[in-house]
Amino acid sequence: MLDTKDFSFFETQNNFDFKAFFTKVIGYWPWFIVTLVIAFTVAYQVNIRKQKIYGVSTTVAYKEENNPFFTANTSLVFNWGGTSDQVQNLTTTIKSRSHNEMVVKELNYFIEYLRQGKYNLEDAYGEVPFYININKNFPQITDQLINIKFLSPTEYEISINFESSKVSLLNYNTEVLSSTNVVIGEFKKRYKIGETVSLPFLNWKLELTNNPGFYDGSTHIVRFANFNGIVENYKNIDISSDGKGGGVLQLNMQGTNKARMVDYLNGTVNKLISRQLEAKNQFAKNTIAFIDSTLVAMEGQLKDTENELKVFSLDKNIYEVELGGEKYTDKISDLDVEKDVINRKLAYYNNLKSYLINSTDYSKLPAPSVAGIEDPNIISNVSKLTALSAERSAMSYAVKNDKQFKDFDVQMDALKRVLLENISAAKSAIQYDLSAVNRKIGLVENNIKKLPAQQQELVKINRKYDLNKNVYNSFLEKRSEADIVRAANLSDIQFIDPAKDTGGGLLGPKTSVNYILALFMGLLLPLIFIFIITILDNTIKNTDDISRLTTIPILGVVGKNPGKSNLAVFEKPKSALAESFRSIRSSLQFLYKKQQSGSKVLMLTSSISGEGKTFSAINIATVFALSEKKTVIVGLDLRKPKIFQDFQIENNIGAVNYLIGQKSLEEITQSTSIPYLDFIPSGPIPPNPAELIMGDSMKEMLDELKLKYDYIILDTPPVGLVSDALELTPFCDATLYVVRQSITKKDMLTLVNNKHKRGELKNISIVLNGFENKAKYGYGYGYGYGYGNYANGYHENEEPKNPIVKFIKKTFKK
């Protein structure tokens, strides 16, 4: 039946031992050195292979510039619109594909000028003595290194290594991809500087820069890059806005070539300025185009009227005919001009209304002022609608963000509704003015009808001529104003600080960061590995582990055996290992003093095989024998005997032969090379080892041994595997349970605890075997041994095998 004592594992709690973990970390110091060396080597190799990274920036401002020619007397008003969201739109434009395509094409940035660096190809833009002027009507080879070597001041050689029979071509003007066949191998050909290169895969002229320097004999590399890839790289330009001034933007670029970045930043801003000014002048262009078309028609009408007046004046005294009618001519002309102005306003309103209802593109609307409309609401709203429409059309090639398009559409719809309401209100007022003018004209016309026929005819002709002349002159004046406005327009985008190479701007590589990262990784990786080992390792590491898991006393601590033989105490009696066994002997003698006099029987057992039970039995027996106490070792591991090998004795006969009655005690007892120490091997492996140990013959053998020896050491099987050792407990004065560092599992002590609490193992103590303090570079034998230089002279010093440990020990000795 199970005893309540079997559940003793509830009495202990497994907590993480930080002290043991720290000790283990120190013990694995070579791992840290190796990982640190590897990490720093990798960091060094990365640092020397990285190219220097520079940062270049330019600052621009968006500020709506008023045209200096917009005065109170100027009848034309052109307004590009409000400033709301213009900075955001500007940022979007800078990052747009279409804008960057224009800049890349204008700067020919798809042509890469390279040089072979120590570890990789480097950007040599601005440093080569030449530039490539390509013929954009023909395709060029892409992604292929073209070597250029100057053979003389006037001649150079092109060499290309073709690895495939077909190469890709790209026409950088039309962006059409194609391919052509070539001969595999190295292609070479010589050309004069400035000579046209016309090949199926290459079309250019190589020109020298203004100051080429010494270039004779130099070698350079050119490559035509993927156009879309280059554009995509420049789309990632960093843009930040000034927190204090919302209209100020800073454009930042990072790269390996400052000259290339300076030219690109300035180029992209100049392109922005020209595009924005062009959009700003769009309203003026629309107005000029409308006026020009109107002037052509008016000029024809004016000529026809002049011809009609000439024909009428023939054979007539014009001054006599005019007499009496001139007062009506001036009056009717003024009224006709007033009526024409009203009619032009009505016509503009009707056309504008139809345009707003039926069209979606409002970028070509003329200024309302060409029709004499001076309503500031209509002028401003038409201007804003034109600007929004033009901007939306431009963005359709730049972004694919439906939300932004919807925002534009919402704004334009709102403006359309406001304009339609303004048109309705304005037309109502104008209709009233038109009726009033028509009434005045009717009265004057009635008076004219009372004049003679010739005077009526002359008034009619003069009336038509004056009207056409006034309208023509009015449009000429407005066209002149439009030209002045367009010429005087300023871009709303202005340079504050153009990009410039001032000699600084180095950003990287940040070698210190890589070294810090190497230090971090070099320490972290082994630490993580040691932590994993510690978590997964469930073995006994030190006496603290034993004390936490059991109340059984610890009799001693035995260090790791540095030799190959188990006769460690006999071979090196002054070693630290021998002293640890002498300490166990002293502790055992203290235990025996509490018992009656006579021979003492000591049993050694363990949980499993390999924990050093036999090693401990031999050396404990040796220290007793060296103190001139008659000692015998009895090999009672009848299932797996091996102690006889250490004494180089045959295992033909032994304890088994005595237990089955074949041999006497004298016949199975054999002397060893150690004085006062005898040995009884286990003998042949029996079929029933447990029954032999339980028999009466075992008691008889031990009784005989007590008569001859002072100490009897029993080497028994592991108690965790078989029950043989438990049968010997009644005959023993003390039991040593051997626990080995990094071998014995912590859970195994639960078995010993249970057997001890049930009384199956009496007078039991624990010996920690194979203990090695890895936190030191020497051995830490014993229970409190390992005093370093303070132990010199007390026992033999064992030189460590590790050469690094030897060096450290010698260094500390000095």
Side-chain angles (χ1 to χ4, degrees):
M1 294 177 62
L2 286 175
D3 194 281
T4 55
K5 297 178 181 179
D6 292 335
F7 298 94
S8 60
F9 59 87
F10 288 114
E11 299 175 10
T12 62
Q13 182 179 1
N14 290 325
N15 297 319
F16 186 78
D17 190 348
F18 287 97
K19 180 181 177 182
F21 176 71
F22 182 72
T23 303
K24 178 174 284 190
V25 168
I26 297 176
Y28 283 98
W29 61 267
W31 288 20
F32 288 93
I33 293 178
V34 171
T35 53
L36 284 172
V37 169
I38 294 174
F40 276 100
T41 301
V42 172
Y44 173 75
Q45 293 297 326
V46 169
N47 285 339
I48 63 176
R49 281 168 168 77
K50 277 189 174 181
Q51 298 186 53
K52 292 183 178 180
I53 303 298
Y54 298 92
V56 179
S57 64
T58 183
T59 306
V60 297
Y62 175 83
K63 180 181 179 182
E64 188 173 350
E65 293 290 344
N66 292 323
N67 196 303
F69 285 89
F70 287 163
T71 65
N73 298 322
T74 304
S75 61
L76 290 176
V77 177
F78 304 116
N79 181 11
W80 196 53
T83 59
S84 60
D85 296 331
Q86 291 304 325
V87 174
Q88 180 60 41
N89 294 337
L90 193 62
T91 301
T92 304
T93 302
I94 294 173
K95 289 179 171 288
S96 68
R97 178 182 55 81
S98 59
H99 172 77
N100 285 281
E101 282 182 353
M102 286 186 277
V103 179
V104 168
K105 284 184 178 180
E106 189 169 301
L107 298 176
N108 288 334
Y109 265 30
F110 48 82
I111 303 176
E112 296 181 330
Y113 301 93
L114 309 169
R115 64 165 170 261
Q116 182 61 54
K118 186 176 181 180
Y119 298 103
N120 44 38
L121 289 174
E122 299 175 356
D123 188 356
Y125 176 88
E127 300 174 13
V128 295
F130 64 93
Y131 64 92
I132 300 299
N133 187 6
I134 68 168
N135 187 340
K136 293 187 178 181
N137 295 322
F138 296 95
Q140 315 291 337
I141 188 173
T142 60
D143 295 326
Q144 180 74 46
L145 296 180
I146 305 169
N147 299 295
I148 296 176
K149 182 177 182 180
F150 287 94
L151 305 176
S152 70
T154 60
E155 189 178 25
Y156 68 96
E157 181 183 68
I158 295 175
S159 63
I160 306 174
N161 186 24
F162 292 117
E163 297 180 353
S164 174
S165 61
K166 183 169 294 218
V167 294
S168 298
L169 306 177
L170 176 63
N171 187 314
Y172 287 95
N173 189 32
T174 61
E175 299 181 30
V176 174
L177 286 168
S178 59
S179 62
T180 188
N181 295 323
V182 294
V183 179
I184 296 176
E186 188 175 19
F187 169 85
K188 284 187 177 182
K189 197 167 184 179
R190 296 184 178 186
Y191 290 93
K192 296 288 184 181
I193 294 175
E195 180 182 356
T196 299
V197 176
S198 183
L199 296 169
F201 49 82
L202 209 58
N203 296 273
W204 76 26
K205 282 185 182 179
L206 187 146
E207 306 282 354
L208 294 178
T209 58
N210 293 331
N211 186 17
F214 299 103
Y215 62 90
D216 190 10
S218 62
T219 302
H220 309 273
I221 303 172
V222 172
R223 178 171 60 192
F224 290 93
N226 179 276
F227 181 76
N228 291 327
I230 294 294
V231 171
E232 194 67 27
N233 289 338
Y234 286 110
K235 283 175 61 179
N236 297 324
I237 185 172
D238 179 59
I239 304 174
S240 59
S241 61
D242 190 340
K244 297 179 180 178
V248 178
L249 292 178
Q250 186 175 46
L251 281 59
N252 304 288
M253 290 188 71
Q254 295 183 10
T256 59
N257 190 292
K258 288 193 285 185
R260 181 182 288 275
M261 292 187 293
V262 166
D263 288 350
Y264 194 86
L265 284 176
N266 291 331
T268 195
V269 174
N270 285 327
K271 178 58 69 175
L272 274 176
I273 292 173
S274 62
R275 290 183 64 191
Q276 195 268 343
L277 186 58
E278 183 179 353
K280 192 172 183 179
N281 285 330
Q282 184 64 44
F283 204 19
K285 289 180 181 178
N286 296 346
T287 302
I288 292 172
F290 176 80
I291 292 174
D292 286 342
S293 62
T294 304
L295 284 175
V296 171
M298 294 303 301
E299 187 175 0
Q301 294 178 15
L302 187 59
K303 288 181 179 180
D304 291 341
T305 307
E306 288 178 348
N307 292 331
E308 187 177 353
L309 184 59
K310 288 179 182 179
V311 172
F312 178 80
S313 300
L314 291 176
D315 302 328
K316 292 182 182 68
N317 187 344
I318 194 65
Y319 296 105
E320 291 181 358
V321 176
E322 285 182 348
L323 189 62
E326 65 270 7
K327 60 180 180 179
Y328 297 113
T329 301
D330 295 337
K331 192 171 184 179
I332 197 67
S333 295
D334 292 339
L335 290 173
D336 284 340
V337 170
E338 187 177 351
K339 181 179 179 180
D340 181 73
V341 170
I342 294 174
N343 285 330
R344 279 192 283 121
K345 288 181 180 180
L346 282 173
Y348 183 87
Y349 284 140
N350 290 330
N351 290 333
L352 179 60
K353 182 178 181 180
S354 175
Y355 204 84
L356 291 174
I357 295 173
N358 300 321
S359 181
T360 57
D361 183 11
Y362 314 107
S363 60
K364 296 182 180 181
L365 284 174
S369 52
V370 298
I373 297 173
E374 298 176 357
D375 188 338
N377 293 327
I378 294 178
I379 293 173
S380 176
N381 290 333
V382 169
S383 173
K384 290 178 181 179
L385 187 62
T386 302
L388 286 172
S389 182
E391 192 173 348
R392 189 189 187 284
S393 298
M395 288 187 65
S396 63
Y397 299 99
V399 295
K400 302 299 181 185
N401 191 334
D402 292 337
K403 183 179 182 303
Q404 281 193 315
F405 289 132
K406 288 180 180 178
D407 291 341
F408 274 93
D409 293 338
V410 169
Q411 294 181 56
M412 288 192 291
D413 286 340
L415 285 173
K416 282 169 57 177
R417 288 194 297 270
V418 172
L419 274 172
L420 290 172
E421 292 177 2
N422 291 338
I423 291 170
S424 298
K427 284 179 66 177
S428 298
I430 288 176
Q431 290 288 354
Y432 177 80
D433 293 339
L434 181 60
S435 299
V437 171
N438 284 331
R439 285 196 300 271
K440 292 179 182 179
I441 292 174
L443 293 174
V444 177
E445 285 179 345
N446 289 332
N447 292 327
I448 292 174
K449 290 179 181 179
K450 297 176 182 179
L451 295 175
Q454 287 188 351
Q455 286 182 342
Q456 290 187 36
E457 183 68 20
L458 180 59
V459 169
K460 180 180 179 182
I461 296 172
N462 283 334
R463 179 183 179 184
K464 188 188 302 183
Y465 176 79
D466 290 341
L467 177 61
N468 291 335
K469 184 178 180 181
N470 285 330
V471 172
Y472 187 80
N473 290 336
S474 174
F475 274 100
L476 281 178
E477 181 182 356
K478 294 182 184 301
R479 193 191 191 286
S480 177
E481 288 181 3
D483 282 333
I484 293 172
V485 168
R486 183 174 63 174
N489 256 340
L490 299 174
S491 174
D492 295 338
I493 303 169
Q494 299 176 1
F495 269 118
I496 294 180
D497 278 328
K500 184 179 180 181
D501 181 6
T502 58
L506 181 63
L507 300 179
K510 298 185 182 298
T511 56
S512 58
V513 173
N514 289 337
Y515 286 128
I516 292 173
L517 183 61
L519 176 64
F520 178 74
M521 296 303 295
L523 295 175
L524 182 63
L525 290 178
L527 196 65
I528 292 175
F529 189 71
I530 294 170
F531 179 76
I532 294 174
I533 292 176
T534 304
I535 293 296
L536 298 179
D537 189 1
N538 192 35
T539 59
I540 300 295
K541 295 300 178 185
N542 48 44
T543 55
D544 292 338
D545 290 344
I546 299 174
S547 299
R548 282 195 298 269
L549 295 170
T550 182
T551 58
I552 300 173
I554 301 172
L555 192 67
V557 177
V558 178
K560 187 176 181 180
N561 182 17
K564 296 181 179 180
S565 171
N566 281 336
L567 303 176
V569 174
F570 179 71
E571 293 175 351
K572 291 185 178 182
K574 293 185 65 176
S575 67
L577 185 62
E579 291 301 324
S580 65
F581 281 107
R582 289 189 180 96
S583 176
I584 294 174
R585 180 188 64 187
S586 299
S587 298
L588 286 171
Q589 288 174 341
F590 177 77
L591 291 176
Y592 292 149
K593 285 181 182 179
K594 299 179 181 180
Q595 301 176 13
Q596 58 185 3
S597 59
S599 298
K600 306 299 184 290
V601 180
L602 175 65
M603 180 179 72
L604 282 89
T605 187
S606 64
S607 300
I608 57 174
S609 179
E611 292 175 312
K613 168 177 54 63
T614 299
F615 167 74
S616 299
I618 292 173
N619 287 283
I620 289 174
T622 300
V623 294
F624 278 121
L626 291 178
S627 63
E628 298 184 355
K629 299 292 184 181
K630 294 187 66 176
T631 307
V632 63
I633 301 175
V634 183
L636 291 181
D637 189 351
L638 306 183
R639 302 170 186 269
K640 194 177 179 182
K642 59 180 180 179
I643 192 171
F644 63 91
Q645 299 172 352
D646 296 291
F647 293 105
Q648 297 181 353
I649 295 174
E650 297 292 333
N651 194 37
N652 296 330
I653 58 173
V656 173
N657 301 97
Y658 178 87
L659 294 175
I660 61 177
Q662 289 183 346
K663 300 289 183 180
S664 65
L665 189 63
E666 289 77 10
E667 291 177 315
I668 63 173
T669 305
Q670 301 190 39
S671 299
T672 66
S673 58
I674 303 173
Y676 298 98
L677 179 62
D678 292 338
F679 172 58
I680 298 177
S682 60
I685 298 175
N688 55 343
E691 286 72 14
L692 289 178
I693 291 175
M694 293 173 60
D696 295 335
S697 55
M698 176 58 70
K699 182 178 182 304
E700 294 174 0
M701 184 178 71
L702 292 176
D703 289 339
E704 286 189 50
L705 290 174
K706 289 179 181 180
L707 298 174
K708 297 178 60 177
Y709 296 97
D710 298 317
Y711 291 96
I712 303 167
I713 311 299
L714 305 182
D715 179 38
T716 64
V719 71
L721 299 180
V722 294
S723 61
D724 297 7
L726 298 177
E727 307 299 335
L728 295 171
T729 302
F731 309 118
C732 299
D733 299 307
T735 300
L736 290 186
Y737 185 82
V738 180
V739 173
R740 187 168 183 177
Q741 184 186 47
S742 301
I743 297 296
T744 305
K745 302 290 184 182
K746 293 179 181 178
D747 296 339
M748 295 178 180
L749 291 181
T750 302
L751 174 66
V752 180
N753 284 335
N754 293 337
K755 295 184 181 299
H756 175 59
K757 290 181 179 181
R758 288 199 298 262
E760 297 178 14
L761 291 173
K762 298 179 180 179
N763 201 17
I764 184 172
S765 300
I766 292 177
V767 173
L768 177 59
N769 180 38
F771 179 75
E772 181 182 8
N773 188 357
K774 293 184 179 181
K776 302 185 179 192
Y777 47 81
Y779 290 106
Y781 294 130
Y783 197 28
Y785 288 82
Y787 296 108
N789 292 333
Y790 298 104
N792 288 341
Y794 288 95
H795 50 70
E796 294 178 351
N797 293 322
E798 298 173 2
E799 292 294 330
K801 297 179 181 180
N802 193 319
I804 300 178
V805 175
K806 287 183 180 180
F807 173 77
I808 295 176
K809 289 195 71 176
K810 288 180 181 179
T811 303
F812 276 88
K813 284 181 181 180
K814 294 179 181 179

